[in-house]
Amino acid sequence: MELLLQQTVNALSLGGVYAMLALGLAIVFSIVRLINFAHGEIMTFGGYGIFLSLVFGFPPVAALIIGLAAAVVMALAMERTAFRAMRGADVVSLLITSFAVSEILKVLFQNGISARPVPITFPASWSGTYQVGDITFGVVPTVSILVTLAALAGLTFLLRRTVSGMAMRAAAEDIEMLRLLGIRANRVVAVAFALSGLLAGIAAVIWTAQRGSVDPMMGFFPVLKAFIATVLGGLGSLGGAVLGGFAIGIVEVLAQAFLPETLAPYRDAIVLAAVIAALLWRPDGLLPAAKTSRS
Amino acid sequence: MENALEIRNLDIRYGAVQAVRDVSLTVNAGKVTALLGANGAGKTTTVMAVAGARKIAAGSVSIFGKDMTGAPEDAIVRSGVAISPEGRRVFASLSVEENLTLAGSVLGDSALMAERRSAMMERFPILSERRTQPAGLLSGGEQQMLAVARALMSMPKLLLMDEPSLGLAPQMVDQIFAIVEELRNEGISILLVEQNAALSLEVADHAVVLANGEVAAEGLPEDLKNNSLLHAAYLAA
Ligand SMILES: Nc1ncnc2c1ncn2[C@@H]1O[C@H](COP(=O)(O)OP(=O)(O)OP(=O)(O)O)[C@@H](O)[C@H]1O
Ligand SMILES: [Mg+2]
C-alpha cells in the first residue's frame, strides 16, 4: 500500500513533466504544423539557465525564474530565427529544420558549457520528505504535481477565456482566416512558442530539482517520451497530449517499480509496446484532434 | 466622394497560371458592385487580393483613396475593409460568441467590442440563440450569417462578400440578399461576388463580369441583364 501510494506520486510527477512537454509540442504543432524536434533543447537551455544563475550567485528562487525565462527566450528565438522564414513549408522541411536547430544547440552546449553533467545544488531543505500517517512522501515530487496541475489549469484558462487563447485555437483551424480578420498571425504564433517554452521551462525546473544536474542531452530523452505522448494522445490534440504524457509516465513508473529485476533492461520496450497496442486499438490516438474541414 | 475601392490593371499569378489579368473595377462609396463570372474566372483571387491575402504581380488597389497595394491584411482591415470569405470559414471549434469576440478584438476596446457583439446578436437573432454553441454545429445558412456578422464586428466601411449564397436553401438566399441591401442602405460599400447573377443584378448598382481572369463585360445591371455577351461568357459555364 505504501509503495503503491509513493509510486503513484512518482508516476504523476513524471507523467506531469511529459504532459507539459507534450502540450508544448502540441500547441506549436496545432498552429504551425511544426514537429519541433528542438523542443528538448529549450528544456535543456532552461536547465543551463538555472545552473548559470546559481554559479553567478543568484538565490535559488531567482535561479528558477531565470531558468523559466531562459526557456521562453530560447523558444521565441527559435521561432524568430529558424521557423518564421519556413512558415507554410511542408511538415518534412520543418521537421528537418528543427533537427538542425537541435543539433546546433547540442553542439553549442557541449562546447560552450560542458559535454558532461554539471551539478545543480538546491538547498537541502528542498529535497526533504513529509509524512502522511506513517507513509513518507518526497517534497519535490509532490510540489511537481501541484505545479503541473497549476500550469495545466492556467493554460486551460488562457485558451478558453482570453482573446489570445481564442486566437490560438482559431489559428490552429485556419490561420489565413485569422489574418483576414486583421489579427497579426506572427504575434499569435509567438505567443504559442512562448507558452511552449514556458512549459518546457517548468519541466526543466522539475527535472533539475529531482536529478540535481544538467547535461546537453537533458531535454532530449524526456522530449522523446513527450513525442510519443503526443502521438499516443492524437497529434495536434492538446487534451490528448496531456493524457498521453500522464499515461506514459504512469506506465514507465509502474514498469520500473513492479517488473522483476531481470526485465528491467526492457522497460522502454515495454512502454513502447503498450503505446503500440494503444495505437492499434485507436489509430488516431486516445483523444484525436478535431478534424477541421474546409469547404 | 472618393471611391470605396479602386482596382487598376490588376495581375495575379499562381506560379505559371495567371489567374487575374489586367482587371480594373470600382466600388463607389455606399454602393454595391457585383463581381460575376463562371467557376475559375478569378473572382475569389481578386477579392482575396483586395483583402491583402494574395501577392499582387502588377496593378494597384486603392481603398477610400489610399493606395493599399501589397499592404498586409491587418493594415487593410484597419483601413475599413472586412471580408466574408468563400466557404464562410467560421472557426468551427469556437463558439458563435467567441467567433465574434475574436473578430472584434481588432477594435482594441473591449467595451466597444461587447457593444458591437450585442448589436450583431440583435441583428441576427439566430446567433443569439446559438451563442454558446460551436460554430461548426450551425447550419450552412447560420454559418453564413455568422460569417457576415463576424466581418461586421470591425465596423467596416467596405465589405467584401464572396459567394454568400452558395449552397443555401432558396429562402436563405433571399435573406442573404436582403441583408446586402440593408447594409448598403446603412452606408456600407459592398463588393459582392456571386454565381447567382439574376439576384445579384437585382441588388447591385454596378456589375463587372470576369471570364478567364479578364473583365468581359461591365456596366449597369439593367444593361447587363439583357447583354448577350454576359450570357455567353457566364451562363455558358
Ligand atoms: N491557391 C491557388 N493555387 C493555384 N491556382 C489557383 C489557386 N486559387 C485559384 N487558382 C486558380 O486561379 C483561377 C481563378 O480561381 P478563383 O478561385 O479566383 O476563381 P473564382 O472565380 O473564384 O471561381 P469559383 O466561382 O469557383 O469560386 C482558377 O484557374 C484556379 O484554378
Ligand atoms: Mg471563388
Side-chain angles (χ1 to χ4, degrees):
Chain A
M1 181 63 189
E2 172 168 359
L3 183 64
L4 186 66
L5 279 177
Q6 283 168 340
Q7 293 301 347
T8 304
V9 169
N10 290 340
L12 291 178
S13 135
L14 181 67
V17 168
Y18 292 161
M20 284 188 288
L21 291 170
L23 194 51
L25 289 169
I27 289 171
V28 166
F29 178 80
S30 71
I31 296 179
V32 289
R33 303 287 135 184
L34 160 70
I35 300 172
N36 189 5
F37 205 77
H39 195 64
E41 283 59 53
I42 297 175
M43 177 178 169
T44 307
F45 192 70
Y48 282 122
I50 299 169
F51 166 71
L52 290 174
S53 318
L54 290 172
V55 167
F56 285 111
F58 284 94
V61 171
L64 295 184
I65 293 168
I66 293 171
L68 292 180
V72 171
V73 168
M74 175 53 86
L76 287 170
M78 262 183 208
E79 192 274 321
R80 198 62 239 266
T81 58
F83 299 129
R84 186 171 294 184
M86 301 283 294
R87 190 84 51 78
D90 59 301
V91 171
V92 174
S93 311
L94 284 167
L95 182 64
I96 290 171
T97 306
S98 78
F99 269 122
V101 171
S102 165
E103 287 308 310
I104 291 168
L105 286 172
K106 274 197 220 105
V107 170
L108 286 177
F109 295 149
Q110 281 163 13
N111 296 326
I113 301 172
S114 170
R116 306 165 58 90
V118 291
I120 289 185
T121 27
F122 289 118
S125 61
W126 290 19
S127 52
T129 58
Y130 66 98
Q131 301 275 129
V132 177
D134 44 358
I135 306 176
T136 308
F137 293 101
V139 171
V140 169
T142 309
V143 172
S144 304
I145 295 171
L146 297 177
V147 168
T148 303
L149 292 179
L152 296 181
L155 191 76
T156 305
F157 176 83
L158 185 108
L159 286 172
R160 293 278 138 213
R161 293 269 171 265
T162 69
V163 171
S164 283
M166 285 172 209
M168 274 190 277
R169 286 187 287 138
E173 271 189 44
D174 187 348
I175 198 165
E176 186 184 58
M177 188 62 232
L178 192 68
R179 276 199 206 98
L180 288 170
L181 294 180
I183 294 168
R184 290 193 194 94
N186 280 346
R187 206 182 284 176
V188 178
V189 171
V191 171
F193 269 89
L195 277 176
S196 86
L198 182 64
L199 290 166
I202 297 173
V205 166
I206 293 175
W207 207 255
T208 52
Q210 291 184 351
R211 281 152 228 246
S213 70
V214 191
D215 64 86
M217 298 297 280
M218 178 182 91
F220 182 82
F221 292 105
V223 166
L224 207 55
K225 299 279 169 54
F227 276 120
I228 298 167
T230 57
V231 174
L232 175 64
L235 199 57
S237 148
L238 305 194
V242 172
L243 188 66
F246 276 110
I248 287 180
I250 289 166
V251 172
E252 195 176 316
V253 168
L254 290 181
Q256 181 161 21
F258 298 110
L259 282 180
E261 198 66 30
T262 48
L263 287 179
Y266 304 108
R267 209 179 71 211
D268 281 347
I270 290 165
V271 173
L272 287 179
V275 170
I276 290 167
L279 287 175
L280 285 174
W281 169 54
R282 299 195 63 142
D284 290 334
L286 300 174
L287 287 178
K291 287 211 176 57
T292 50
S293 58
R294 171 104 48 89
S295 48
Chain B
M1 198 163 27
E2 66 209 352
N3 292 323
L5 173 66
E6 232 179 279
I7 300 176
R8 288 281 158 264
N9 309 107
L10 190 69
D11 280 5
I12 296 171
R13 298 193 187 90
Y14 295 109
V17 180
Q18 180 146 11
V20 168
R21 188 190 307 270
D22 200 26
V23 165
S24 298
L25 69 84
T26 301
V27 179
N28 294 121
K31 304 286 186 204
V32 176
T33 292
L35 182 58
L36 308 173
N39 284 323
K43 307 178 298 291
T44 295
T45 303
T46 303
V47 166
M48 291 295 266
V50 172
R54 292 292 179 274
K55 203 168 172 300
I56 293 173
S60 68
V61 173
S62 80
I63 293 164
F64 296 104
K66 212 169 135 205
D67 180 27
M68 298 300 279
T69 313
E73 295 92 334
D74 60 299
I76 307 259
V77 169
R78 272 184 276 114
S79 75
V81 180
I83 183 168
S84 154
E86 183 173 64
R88 327 192 204 295
R89 292 168 75 167
V90 298
F91 298 113
S93 69
L94 274 62
S95 70
V96 167
E97 189 165 47
E98 287 172 332
N99 269 274
L100 297 179
T101 302
L102 192 56
S105 69
V106 297
L107 293 168
D109 174 342
S110 57
L112 182 60
M113 183 283 293
E115 197 179 289
R116 193 79 190 139
R117 198 177 54 194
S118 306
M120 286 305 133
M121 298 273 185
E122 222 166 276
R123 169 165 219 153
F124 304 101
I126 189 70
L127 299 183
S128 175
E129 276 169 45
R130 307 256 169 151
R131 68 194 305 154
T132 59
Q133 283 188 23
L137 297 183
L138 270 52
S139 72
E142 290 162 357
Q143 289 192 9
Q144 187 58 54
M145 300 287 174
L146 178 56
V148 172
R150 182 178 65 179
L152 293 174
M153 282 300 292
S154 63
M155 310 176 106
K157 292 177 291 171
L158 170 63
L159 182 60
L160 311 172
M161 302 177 86
D162 196 345
E163 306 216 29
S165 77
L166 190 70
L168 300 186
Q171 86 241 47
M172 228 2 145
V173 173
D174 291 342
Q175 217 174 321
I176 293 288
F177 278 95
I179 291 168
V180 171
E181 288 197 290
E182 269 173 50
L183 293 173
R184 191 253 320 270
N185 293 342
E186 289 165 28
I188 298 179
S189 317
I190 297 174
L191 180 60
L192 175 65
V193 169
E194 263 297 339
Q195 296 259 1
N196 190 329
L199 276 175
S200 305
L201 292 173
E202 292 297 322
V203 300
D205 302 292
H206 186 82
V208 177
V209 182
L210 290 187
N212 299 318
E214 294 181 87
V215 176
E218 163 168 36
L220 292 173
E222 48 271 35
D223 296 341
L224 281 177
K225 254 180 240 170
N226 309 312
N227 184 327
S228 57
L229 202 86
L230 165 67
H231 290 264
Y234 179 58
L235 296 175

